[in-house]
Amino acid sequence: MNKIYFIIIPLVLVCCLLGSNPKLQTKNPKMEENMVLLQDKIKKKKMPENPYENMMQGLKCQSCHAGDYPNKNDPMLRACLRNSMLATFHFSPEGPDEVVIDAMSENYNGVAFSHKIHAQMSDMSTGCSGCHHYNTSGRLLSCLECHDSKRSREDITVPDLKAAYHRQCLTCHKQWFHENGCSTMCHTRKTSNSTGSVQSPPSVKGKTHPPLKEPMKMVWETNSETGKIVTFFHNEHNKIFNISCETCHKQDNCLKCHENKKHDDYSGTVKIKKSFENHHKACIDCHKGSSCQKCHRDSEREPFNHVQSSGWVLKSYHSQLSCAKCHGSQTPYKKLDRNCTSCHKNFITGNFEHGKAGLVLSENHKGMECISCHTGSDFSKTPECKTCHDDKSYPAQSPGKRGRK
Amino acid sequence: MKNLNRRDFFKSAALGVSLTVLGTSKAKGSDKMLSDDRLGILVDTDVCVGCRHCEWACRVAHNLPTPDLDNYSDNSVFKEYRRPDAGSLTVVNKFENEKNPLLPIHVKVQCMHCERPACVSACIVGALTKGDDGSVVWDDDKCIGCRYCMVACPFQIPTYDYDRSIDPHIRKCDLCTDRRKNDELPACVNICPNEALLFGKRDAVLAVAKTRVKRKSDVYVNHIYGEHEVGGTSWMYIARKSFDKLNMPHLAANPAPGISESIQHGIFAYFVPPVTLYALLGTIMWITKRRSGDDDELISDEEEKGKGGKL
Ligand code: SF4
Ligand code: SF4
Ligand code: SF4
């Protein structure tokens, strides 16, 4: 066994050295000066006006109720769906500063949990639902409502209360050990003369997390032979493409930033020597079919521009839509057929309200086939009267009344 | 008491050996129906944080010399791979997690309480037995210290207390039989802060393991170690890394008695003469003893007669 360690330890050391060699590893991204405060953005998020709107996300009545006519006396409930639902409609600033956990305080004093700072940290990854998991909308459930306080119990599908508490802490604080963490940060032994009052340890008491900043643009200089420069627009992915933080940061926990104890310094993030797959995973998960050149360029990339990348100008109506509205939820987004009818199935002769396009057709133009005027089905060009009419009255009369209806 | 045991031993030795030699040996317990209520424990290595409180609690529960709990914060023990020994019936080892070096994988090791325990079928005096609750326990009074169980166990679990070879002691996890008699959970299960050790009926525990692996298919490898290995074990494991890399032996699904039999055959292949001798001796002794019983009567008659003659 010892021999193996003689081989492993130098190997690990060599790997570490290689990993920290800037020439061999991807350089730390250049952060653009313009950062967005995440907290501001979160504060601006609005609670849904109709609470039921979100409550019903993906749920039908039948998801919870077995029968057609559930009522108060007989709600005809199915087994709870919590395991497949994740929805907590709360935001970190709403939470309390400190929570005292003392449901199991036989041997130990209660634990003062610094809720605020943790809630702030969660904003970058899973939000409230990271800890308040399997919560339906509405009020937050207390841990005790699902987790049994006795370890010896009937239903072992749900962890007991002690495990539920500890798992929340130890997922991130895995390095904590008995007298080096557990007993300094959380647990004090109950003694006959302990007052029973619980306080956060001074190191975290009243502390808030420094504002989390979201980068706008990141530029990497990679060691790739061709296309050294990779530009990543963080804000675009988040805002324009509507990708939530946890889609990419789900696996990240506090340790990612805090291992080096440089909380306020981006360069303090842990540099892990990643394999090719791991390095590209975050991107490839969505950009499956893309070529390397999509990201690897010889110079910095310009921000996303729908006209440039697709040739389709997003005008009035279309410019307000989310990408998914047209391209569907499946990423990477596919090119769409430019025929109006490929999305607007009901835009056919006799059905389309032409007024929406800014011209209410006159009686004698109303019944005509669309392509009679829009020759070649090119709806991006305004048809010219002379393609049909050699009438002398042209162009005094238009084929209808200007204006929307 | 001891005499009775010796007699038992010779009987079973003779029986065991003759069966082995005939090659018709049927493993003890393999015919026995396993109770539906038998116990199981799931070790979720992704939940275990390596605090080693289970090691501590296990020692305390078994009156083994126990360092102070505070000493268990010392991480340096993980530098070497450890196995359970006479002083600790369970140990926790640490393995690298390549995906996230900050979150290593910890794996607790102890007797697996096999459904078809090789140690039980290897034990020639019946000192190891498989209980209805699924536990495999060792009997101090019967053990003769031959250490066949140590050779037979596919997980190399039973350990031998070499300090006391006069009164031999095989040590291994006993699923905390004594604690459970008092309606208490096994000591390790009870203390684990994270409930990384899930205790219940084997079926229920297995169902939970399946759900976890399925629900977090991106985390766990699709393998419940112990579900099928050597015909199934009471302790089962799930992990984010292939079990080969966690030092868990790669074992087929055929019950371990098969293995232990082949080991026994292997051993006996070399030891046939002494073993046959044992068997012969045993049988002869058994027969002669029965005869000598008759003879005793004869002798005593004769003696009485002799005595009478003398008198
Ligand atoms: S793991 Fe080894 S000692 Fe434990 S029951 Fe199985 S064969 Fe016997
Ligand atoms: S079940 Fe009991 S004997 Fe077995 S490892 Fe746990 S504490 Fe030790
Ligand atoms: S007590 Fe639980 S968490 Fe701690 S090492 Fe043992 S199994 Fe792992």
Side-chain angles (χ1 to χ4, degrees):
Chain A
M1 204 64 220
N2 273 334
K3 267 187 204 156
I4 295 175
Y5 279 98
F6 279 127
I7 302 165
I8 289 176
I9 292 170
L11 254 181
V12 170
L13 281 175
V14 170
C15 286
C16 291
L17 282 174
L18 289 181
S20 56
N21 185 340
K23 267 184 211 143
L24 282 165
Q25 211 203 8
T26 311
K27 272 194 189 154
N28 222 26
K30 262 192 266 166
M31 290 290 169
E32 288 295 291
E33 53 301 323
N34 37 3
M35 300 268 230
V36 202
L37 277 188
L38 213 61
Q39 259 108 9
D40 288 352
K41 221 167 78 184
I42 285 156
K43 265 180 222 153
K44 274 182 214 138
K45 264 200 222 170
K46 271 201 211 104
M47 287 288 275
E49 272 170 29
N50 173 8
Y52 295 102
E53 195 181 296
N54 261 328
M55 205 185 231
M56 292 311 185
Q57 262 182 359
L59 288 181
K60 299 189 183 79
C61 308
Q62 286 80 13
S63 312
C64 301
H65 303 282
D68 285 338
Y69 302 102
N71 54 59
K72 234 180 175 175
N73 297 331
D74 183 13
M76 307 178 180
L77 288 175
R78 294 180 195 277
C80 182
L81 281 180
R82 273 205 194 100
N83 287 1
S84 51
M85 279 195 301
L86 267 176
T88 316
F89 301 102
H90 298 268
F91 305 114
S92 65
E94 292 172 34
D97 289 0
E98 191 172 271
V99 179
V100 173
I101 302 166
D102 57 0
M104 310 192 72
S105 51
E106 292 150 39
N107 303 323
Y108 294 96
N109 291 315
V111 174
F113 170 65
S114 45
H115 183 274
K116 188 174 195 162
I117 191 167
H118 284 89
Q120 286 169 338
M121 283 186 278
S122 77
D123 281 342
M124 209 199 72
S125 52
T126 51
C128 306
S129 57
C131 297
H132 298 281
H133 49 222
Y134 306 147
N135 210 105
T136 58
S137 57
R139 102 193 144 81
L140 283 174
L141 304 175
S142 92
C143 309
L144 249 174
E145 282 175 76
C146 303
H147 299 280
D148 202 319
S149 59
K150 275 194 228 75
R151 179 149 293 180
S152 178
R153 61 199 187 280
E154 267 302 297
D155 179 12
I156 53 168
T157 58
V158 180
D160 75 335
L161 189 61
K162 178 167 138 184
Y165 285 150
H166 283 125
R167 285 186 195 185
Q168 294 287 17
C169 305
L170 294 172
T171 316
C172 295
H173 298 291
K174 206 168 180 174
Q175 259 80 353
W176 279 5
F177 270 98
H178 194 72
E179 98 277 31
N180 161 29
C182 306
S183 60
T184 47
M185 300 307 281
C186 297
H187 296 289
T188 48
R189 267 246 177 231
K190 256 193 187 161
T191 52
S192 49
N193 55 3
S194 59
T195 53
S197 76
V198 194
Q199 287 200 328
S200 302
S203 56
V204 290
K205 194 165 174 62
K207 216 174 177 182
T208 55
H209 194 274
L212 291 169
K213 291 172 191 163
E214 178 199 356
M216 299 277 275
K217 175 168 116 182
M218 295 153 98
V219 185
W220 284 276
E221 200 187 313
T222 68
N223 56 0
S224 157
E225 302 256 303
T226 52
K228 267 195 165 341
I229 311 290
V230 172
T231 324
F232 175 69
F233 290 91
H234 193 280
N235 63 330
E236 273 175 8
H237 282 78
N238 190 233
K239 258 196 227 101
I240 305 179
F241 313 138
N242 270 329
I243 297 168
S244 67
C245 304
E246 66 254 42
T247 312
C248 303
H249 295 287
K250 195 175 175 188
Q251 298 289 335
D252 297 349
N253 64 30
C254 316
L255 288 177
K256 182 162 177 175
C257 302
H258 285 265
E259 179 61 7
N260 291 2
K261 299 274 179 208
K262 291 181 189 162
H263 310 174
D264 45 86
D265 182 1
Y266 266 97
S267 62
T269 49
V270 183
K271 288 186 209 87
I272 297 166
K273 179 96 176 94
K274 287 183 185 161
S275 64
F276 179 87
E277 283 77 22
N278 276 341
H279 219 109
H280 292 82
K281 193 175 181 302
C283 307
I284 286 176
D285 270 356
C286 298
H287 299 281
K288 261 177 218 117
S290 311
S291 71
C292 307
Q293 285 80 27
K294 179 151 178 103
C295 302
H296 286 275
R297 308 274 176 111
D298 293 326
S299 58
E300 274 183 37
R301 259 184 82 149
E302 288 302 307
F304 174 76
N305 183 322
H306 202 272
V307 188
Q308 255 175 30
S309 45
S310 71
W312 176 274
V313 191
L314 293 174
K315 284 197 282 194
S316 50
Y317 174 71
H318 289 115
S319 68
Q320 287 155 36
L321 300 176
S322 71
C323 310
K325 188 90 187 165
C326 302
H327 292 277
S329 56
Q330 218 180 6
T331 47
Y333 294 141
K334 287 210 182 69
K335 247 195 182 138
L336 295 176
D337 187 340
R338 293 179 183 208
N339 252 324
C340 306
T341 46
S342 72
C343 296
H344 305 280
K345 297 272 183 305
N346 58 346
F347 281 13
I348 44 169
T349 313
N351 218 343
F352 177 63
E353 283 180 46
H354 205 279
K356 278 187 177 162
L359 182 84
V360 185
L361 290 179
S362 64
E363 279 306 313
N364 44 356
H365 285 91
K366 232 179 198 165
M368 291 170 73
E369 290 290 331
C370 305
I371 50 164
S372 308
C373 302
H374 298 280
T375 48
S377 294
D378 185 357
F379 296 93
S380 60
K381 268 195 223 133
T382 312
E384 288 183 50
C385 306
K386 67 176 178 206
T387 44
C388 304
H389 301 275
D390 54 2
D391 196 52
K392 293 282 171 295
S393 57
Y394 160 81
Q397 285 171 8
S398 51
K401 242 166 96 188
R402 291 268 154 217
R404 285 172 198 278
K405 196 191 116 188
Chain B
M1 178 74 186
K2 275 275 175 231
N3 279 338
L4 197 105
N5 279 338
R6 244 177 52 177
R7 192 173 180 160
D8 272 3
F9 156 58
F10 282 123
K11 266 190 208 168
S12 27
L15 190 76
V17 169
S18 50
L19 283 181
T20 318
V21 168
L22 285 171
T24 50
S25 149
K26 195 87 196 186
K28 260 181 246 170
S30 62
D31 296 334
K32 200 169 143 189
M33 284 295 288
L34 293 165
S35 146
D36 286 341
D37 282 349
R38 65 194 188 278
L39 300 169
I41 302 185
L42 174 70
V43 184
D44 190 334
T45 61
D46 202 52
V47 172
C48 171
V49 287
C51 68
R52 294 168 56 228
H53 283 199
C54 47
E55 283 183 25
W56 179 83
C58 179
R59 282 179 180 227
V60 173
H62 293 81
N63 298 320
L64 293 164
T66 315
D68 197 66
L69 187 56
D70 287 345
N71 294 354
Y72 280 75
S73 304
D74 181 12
N75 255 338
S76 62
V77 292
F78 288 133
K79 282 200 191 115
E80 270 184 49
Y81 183 80
R82 298 178 304 147
R83 295 209 136 274
D85 56 35
S88 43
L89 313 184
T90 183
V91 290
V92 179
N93 285 302
K94 179 169 143 181
F95 295 88
E96 287 283 308
N97 173 4
E98 286 82 9
K99 292 227 178 88
N100 190 348
L102 299 172
L103 302 174
I105 303 165
H106 295 96
V107 183
K108 180 181 180 294
V109 187
Q110 73 296 306
C111 166
M112 303 285 282
H113 294 268
C114 306
E115 305 257 89
R116 311 279 182 210
C119 57
V120 170
S121 51
C123 182
I124 49 177
V125 291
L128 282 152
T129 45
K130 172 94 181 159
D132 269 350
D133 59 1
S135 65
V136 175
V137 289
W138 172 82
D139 185 342
D140 188 4
D141 289 338
K142 287 190 185 152
C143 179
I144 52 160
C146 72
R147 281 168 281 158
Y148 281 175
C149 54
M150 294 170 68
V151 187
C153 172
F155 303 97
Q156 300 164 38
I157 289 300
T159 56
Y160 189 65
D161 198 342
Y162 285 97
D163 292 343
R164 31 187 302 177
S165 39
I166 312 271
D167 175 18
H169 247 75
I170 291 290
R171 289 210 197 270
K172 66 169 205 69
C173 158
D174 60 359
L175 217 63
C176 283
T177 313
D178 290 343
R179 282 178 60 92
R180 285 188 293 112
K181 271 182 205 144
N182 300 330
D183 257 352
E184 283 176 312
L185 287 170
C188 55
V189 172
N190 191 49
I191 200 164
C192 179
N194 262 12
E195 202 175 31
L197 316 170
L198 185 67
F199 178 87
K201 304 225 169 94
R202 188 176 188 268
D203 289 349
V205 166
L206 187 58
V208 173
K210 282 185 179 157
T211 331
R212 285 194 197 167
V213 169
K214 197 167 146 211
R215 205 160 77 206
K216 286 215 235 156
S217 56
D218 52 335
V219 171
Y220 295 107
V221 292
N222 189 13
H223 180 180
I224 299 165
Y225 191 93
E227 182 187 5
H228 301 302
E229 271 76 6
V230 292
T233 55
S234 305
W235 284 75
M236 291 169 282
Y237 291 74
I238 52 175
R240 56 165 72 220
K241 205 165 153 177
S242 144
F243 288 99
D244 298 343
K245 301 205 178 101
L246 301 175
N247 253 3
M248 307 285 271
H250 186 84
L251 296 165
N254 54 320
I259 298 168
S260 89
E261 267 161 38
S262 56
I263 293 171
Q264 278 191 37
H265 287 187
I267 297 166
F268 291 139
Y270 290 100
F271 290 99
V272 160
V275 164
T276 325
L277 201 70
Y278 255 85
L280 276 172
L281 279 176
T283 326
I284 292 166
M285 251 194 87
W286 189 43
I287 296 166
T288 43
K289 214 157 185 212
R290 264 178 45 185
R291 254 220 221 120
S292 75
D294 301 338
D295 287 350
D296 276 353
E297 282 165 31
L298 284 175
I299 290 167
S300 53
D301 283 356
E302 273 172 19
E303 265 178 15
E304 268 174 30
K305 272 181 201 162
K307 274 173 203 165
K310 267 184 190 167
L311 275 170

